[in-house]
Amino acid sequence: MSDEINTADPPGPPETKPASRTVCVLTSWKLWTVLLVLGVLGIGVSLTMPIVHRLRALAYFDLHKDIEYELSREHEDWPENYGEWTNALREVDTIWAEAATDETLLHAAALHEAERVALVESETHPITRRGAECLPPFERLEELELLGPGFTDDAIASMLAARPPLHTVHLFDTGASRQTLMAVSRMKSIEELTIMTRSLHDENFRDLQSLESLTYIMVTGGGDECLKWLAHSHELASINLYFTPITDDGLRYLRAFPKLEVLCIDGGLLTDAGLQYLAEIPTLRELCLIECPNLSDEGISWLPDLPELESLAIPAELLTWESIARLKELPQLSLLEVHGSLMHDSELSSDLFHEKWTIDDEPVLSDAEFWEAVRQPW
């Protein structure tokens, strides 16, 4: 009995957990630690990158602040990922694009705080209708300048639908027409208006009679009716009408502008007798009568006394000894701008250049040259 007990196997050591299982637990803990650190870094990067982009944006803007903010890829330092941090420039108040494209308008849409905007359509990559529809409704806009037919009538009208506090609108060779004028008429703050387009007619100006604060206007198209509707703007000090068939009857409306200082009529149908109506505006300082084929030197000889007239622009063929004698009687006249050639009478030309006037001898522009000049207002 005792022998059997002595021959039995001795009891083994107590059981322990396998070492490999402990290693797995440690590995899992390290893995989660690494993942946590990476997660924190990822969150940190995602939070700091917008700040980095903003700092880069502000640094770029600060570099160009003296020449306004330019949306142009012609600059060597144009940021490659501009679209990623456009929002950092929301406080920019001036936007200038020398060669605007569809992409320019897309980027500009993020800068809705702008107060002054000047966009010139690119000649190599014209703005498409899709691009024009990207024109943002700048709600704080005060000054707007657009150049190029890519800016369509409905796109401009849609842009102005927000009724920003605009006081200056200059549209050169755009598609602006009736819809634009209707949109402009709803903004009572307009003081300066330029619409040089080929698609305006007399009846379009009916919408402008509500602009009581208007002091300056430059337009193409229209005629006598244009002056009729503008007569409701008693603050007008400068009227520039191009390609406008103004007649003597149209000049009758000039008496409605008690503050008129500048009058330019290009393409009118005025006669010598019609110049008598200029006597109704004694405040006139600048007078421009270009391409008025029914005027003669006799009409200039009858030019009424204009005590404040300082500058006069007329065709060269209206200058004769008689008309020059009349101009010498105008006490304040200091600048005579002659369109055409004075070479038809060398003796007369010589006499003119010895006068107190500063003589500008300029050629008459053809229609094509005129619109080319309109395309270069800046």
Side-chain angles (χ1 to χ4, degrees):
M1 195 70 179
S2 59
D3 292 338
E4 293 178 1
I5 294 174
N6 291 333
T7 58
D9 293 333
E15 293 185 3
T16 59
K17 295 181 179 180
S20 60
R21 187 173 180 182
T22 302
V23 172
C24 288
V25 172
L26 292 176
T27 303
S28 177
W29 175 81
K30 291 180 179 179
L31 176 62
W32 283 107
T33 301
V34 172
L35 292 176
L36 180 61
V37 171
L38 292 177
V40 171
L41 290 175
I43 294 174
V45 170
S46 64
L47 292 176
T48 57
M49 284 310 294
I51 299 176
V52 173
H53 290 326
R54 178 177 176 80
L55 291 176
R56 289 183 58 214
L58 293 178
Y60 181 80
F61 172 62
D62 186 65
L63 183 65
H64 296 85
K65 64 183 179 182
D66 293 334
I67 56 173
E68 304 176 345
Y69 188 71
E70 297 193 11
L71 294 168
S72 172
R73 292 188 178 277
E74 296 177 3
H75 296 283
E76 294 180 357
D77 55 351
W78 175 270
E80 294 180 359
N81 61 339
Y82 171 79
E84 296 179 10
W85 46 262
T86 306
N87 289 345
L89 296 176
R90 286 186 182 275
E91 296 180 3
V92 172
D93 63 0
T94 300
I95 301 175
W96 161 261
E98 187 176 1
T101 63
D102 290 353
E103 185 180 8
T104 303
L105 301 184
L106 179 63
H107 293 330
L111 311 180
H112 56 74
E113 298 294 321
E115 297 175 0
R116 291 174 292 278
V117 173
L119 304 174
V120 179
E121 182 180 13
S122 169
E123 294 185 2
T124 56
H125 296 84
I127 294 171
T128 66
R129 190 173 190 85
R130 177 175 173 273
E133 291 174 354
C134 293
L135 276 172
F138 298 103
E139 297 181 359
R140 299 188 180 185
L141 194 61
E142 297 179 1
E143 301 177 22
L144 172 65
E145 297 186 17
L146 301 177
L147 189 158
F151 300 105
T152 60
D153 187 31
D154 54 348
I156 299 173
S158 176
M159 176 186 181
L160 301 180
R163 300 193 189 183
L166 272 169
H167 57 73
T168 301
V169 177
H170 297 309
L171 307 176
F172 299 96
D173 202 16
T174 66
S177 189
R178 180 67 190 279
Q179 293 185 61
T180 296
L181 287 181
M182 291 179 65
V184 168
S185 69
R186 300 187 186 100
M187 293 177 287
K188 310 303 180 184
S189 57
I190 295 293
E191 298 175 4
E192 296 186 15
L193 177 62
T194 299
I195 303 185
M196 305 290 282
T197 181
R198 313 179 199 206
S199 55
L200 285 180
H201 306 284
D202 257 5
E203 62 271 15
N204 298 140
F205 293 94
R206 179 190 298 266
D207 297 307
L208 298 183
Q209 59 184 314
S210 62
L211 300 181
E212 298 178 354
S213 300
L214 197 62
T215 61
Y216 169 95
I217 188 167
M218 178 184 291
V219 294
T220 54
D224 291 349
E225 291 296 304
C226 172
L227 287 175
K228 174 183 177 181
W229 299 119
L230 289 175
H232 294 79
S233 303
H234 301 298
E235 297 297 316
L236 263 175
S238 179
I239 299 177
N240 298 270
L241 307 176
Y242 291 89
F243 293 106
T244 53
I246 299 293
T247 69
D248 295 345
D249 287 338
L251 289 186
R252 295 174 183 268
Y253 295 109
L254 294 178
R255 68 188 68 177
F257 306 110
K259 300 182 179 181
L260 188 61
E261 297 182 357
V262 178
L263 175 64
C264 181
I265 298 176
D266 177 4
L269 301 176
L270 305 179
T271 68
D272 295 341
L275 295 184
Q276 63 180 309
Y277 295 112
L278 297 178
E280 312 243 356
I281 43 177
T283 56
L284 201 61
R285 292 189 301 104
E286 298 180 25
L287 176 61
C288 177
L289 301 172
I290 303 300
E291 290 299 296
C292 299
N294 296 326
L295 288 181
S296 71
D297 63 306
E298 190 172 325
I300 298 299
S301 300
W302 296 343
L303 198 66
D305 289 325
L306 297 170
E308 302 298 325
L309 190 65
E310 301 173 357
S311 173
L312 175 65
I314 55 175
E317 57 267 22
L318 299 187
L319 291 176
T320 61
W321 292 110
E322 291 76 13
S323 62
I324 290 177
R326 177 69 186 98
L327 296 180
K328 289 179 180 180
E329 298 175 6
L330 298 174
Q332 301 299 326
L333 188 63
S334 58
L335 174 61
L336 182 62
E337 185 175 314
V338 180
H339 290 259
S341 176
L342 289 169
M343 300 307 294
H344 65 284
D345 190 327
S346 59
E347 187 177 352
L348 184 67
S349 302
S350 177
D351 182 71
L352 274 176
F353 282 100
H354 283 86
E355 282 298 325
K356 62 179 179 179
W357 305 317
T358 299
I359 308 295
D360 281 346
D361 188 356
E362 296 189 355
V364 178
L365 295 179
S366 65
D367 289 1
E369 290 172 330
F370 173 84
W371 286 109
E372 181 61 28
V374 168
R375 290 281 299 174
Q376 308 294 330
W378 288 287

